[in-house]
Amino acid sequence: MRIVFAGTPQAAVPSLTALLASGHEVAAVLTRPDAPVGRGRTLQGSPVAEVAREAGLELLQPRTSRDPEFLRRLTEIAPQAGAIVAYGGLLPRPVLDVPVHGWVNLHFSLLPAWRGASPVQSAVRYGDDVTGASTFRLEEGLDTGPVFGAVTEAIGPHDTAGDLLERLSRSGAGLLVATLDGIADGSLQPVEQRLDTVTLTHKITVADAQVDWQVPALGVDRHIRALTPDPGAWTESSWGRLGLGPVRVTDSDTLPPGAIAAGKREVRVGTGTTDVVLGTVTAPGRRPMAAADWARGTRPGADDRFGPQADEQVLPLLGPAAVRDDGSGAGAQALPAGVSER
């Protein structure tokens, strides 16, 4: 089929690469506009834009998908189907209606679980054992369309969101191509999502990433892994805001929440249950370093604590909650914790 591909971050690149190697024709690529980066504010294209340029593909980079010129050009291209992976913007009805077979969205969860902007982070944060990637027909509702297919992926005890997203982006790329194959030959029909098991996520903010040392050690571990690498978990401290890499949960309960015990080879911090051993620490303006190296330079004392000061409060970290949804996304109950909705 003649395809227009829409995507922006690195997680969308395996899908574009797989489509270029398939029997489908990628007629153009829709991605977010180039953005200034670095001290020189040099314009840089998205990871998807860079691959498209190397492949000599036409790039469509409207400021808004409601741009009449973008719609005119898309109509001229006349794609038979659209494929979309983490584009980063909503497509209005006139754009959805251009391809005769509609748009196929690759979403990194087993729908209807974790609809929204941060499905991978949510799966890690709430301790799911298994997640996956799904393809569905894009509608105007939030990830509400009927599902074509899915692949599953086990979540390991030490997986970060970055680890998991990298694996899902590759397995999902194969699923996307197979879905388009099935649409092209008429062998695949989508199935409506169940509405009794819908869960929603929210867009993650930097404020969401603050560690609450009062919660159990397993919660601290999942919180940090869910926010690694982006936006990165952090804690307040006497040395300013410190970025934290994944921790190791121990069975030792020796420290109150937030208390620090620095040894020669490891740094322990108390939680609501057992202690955790810090992995890496990133001080303001510095690169990540092993926690023991950070402690040798800062020498934390017995009175030092991680966590907010007396007049500050960490956002509550609550458990998962399934919500019912009428299919439009309107009126659905949002999940509370440090996780998200686009």
Side-chain angles (χ1 to χ4, degrees):
M1 288 193 296
R2 184 173 173 83
I3 304 292
V4 165
F5 179 83
T8 297
Q10 181 61 39
V13 168
S15 289
L16 175 56
T17 303
L19 280 172
L20 290 172
S22 74
H24 301 287
E25 174 196 0
V26 181
V29 169
L30 170 64
T31 189
R32 302 300 297 171
D34 294 358
V37 298
R39 293 182 179 179
R41 310 303 290 165
T42 304
L43 284 180
Q44 181 172 315
S46 71
V48 164
E50 295 302 313
V51 173
R53 287 180 173 125
E54 290 177 8
L57 298 172
E58 178 178 351
L59 269 180
L60 306 173
Q61 296 179 290
R63 293 287 174 190
T64 167
S65 54
R66 298 184 183 278
D67 183 346
E69 177 59 24
F70 160 63
L71 179 60
R72 183 196 64 77
R73 180 57 190 145
L74 184 67
T75 304
E76 285 181 349
I77 294 170
Q80 294 168 283
I84 182 167
V85 184
Y87 165 58
L90 299 177
L91 300 184
R93 170 56 60 191
V95 173
L96 295 178
D97 288 342
V98 171
V100 64
H101 293 295
W103 290 77
V104 178
N105 193 164
L106 175 64
H107 185 73
F108 297 118
S109 82
L110 296 175
L111 289 171
W114 305 128
R115 291 176 176 175
S118 58
V120 178
Q121 293 91 336
S122 299
V124 174
R125 173 64 187 85
Y126 291 111
D128 291 355
D129 295 321
V130 176
T131 186
S134 307
T135 50
F136 68 97
R137 177 169 290 154
L138 195 63
E139 298 178 341
E140 290 181 284
L142 180 66
D143 301 332
T144 57
V147 173
F148 289 103
V151 291
T152 60
E153 183 74 38
I155 302 177
H158 305 298
D159 274 339
T160 66
D163 297 332
L164 189 55
L165 182 59
E166 196 277 334
R167 297 203 302 274
L168 289 171
S169 68
R170 296 185 183 282
S171 60
L175 173 66
L176 180 63
V177 172
T179 299
L180 292 168
D181 290 345
I183 293 173
D185 65 20
S187 63
L188 190 59
Q189 295 297 324
V191 176
E192 295 293 335
Q193 296 184 36
R194 289 179 53 182
L195 300 182
D196 57 347
T197 57
V198 172
T199 49
L200 301 178
T201 67
H202 304 268
K203 184 176 182 180
I204 297 172
T205 68
V206 172
D208 293 329
Q210 184 176 14
V211 176
D212 184 352
W213 299 102
Q214 301 288 337
V215 305
L218 283 175
V220 170
D221 169 50
R222 290 173 182 165
H223 177 92
I224 294 176
R225 288 190 290 112
L227 300 171
T228 300
D230 185 42
W234 58 273
T235 185
E236 291 288 1
S237 77
S238 302
W239 306 273
R241 180 178 293 191
L242 301 177
L244 299 177
V247 299
R248 175 168 58 84
V249 176
T250 74
D251 57 5
S252 174
D253 178 13
T254 63
L255 297 169
I260 308 164
K264 290 184 178 179
R265 293 185 174 83
E266 67 179 27
V267 179
R268 293 189 175 219
V269 182
T271 73
T273 54
T274 60
D275 306 338
V276 296
V277 176
L278 295 186
T280 60
V281 174
T282 306
R286 305 289 296 275
R287 294 179 180 276
M289 65 180 72
D293 293 340
W294 167 81
R296 273 191 286 275
T298 54
R299 299 181 181 276
D303 294 332
D304 286 314
R305 294 284 190 279
F306 282 160
Q309 304 302 307
D311 59 345
E312 297 176 331
Q313 182 179 7
V314 178
L315 293 175
L317 297 177
L318 305 178
V323 296
R324 293 180 184 276
D325 185 325
D326 64 3
S328 67
Q333 176 186 348
L335 287 175
V339 269
S340 83
E341 184 172 28
R342 72 184 176 188

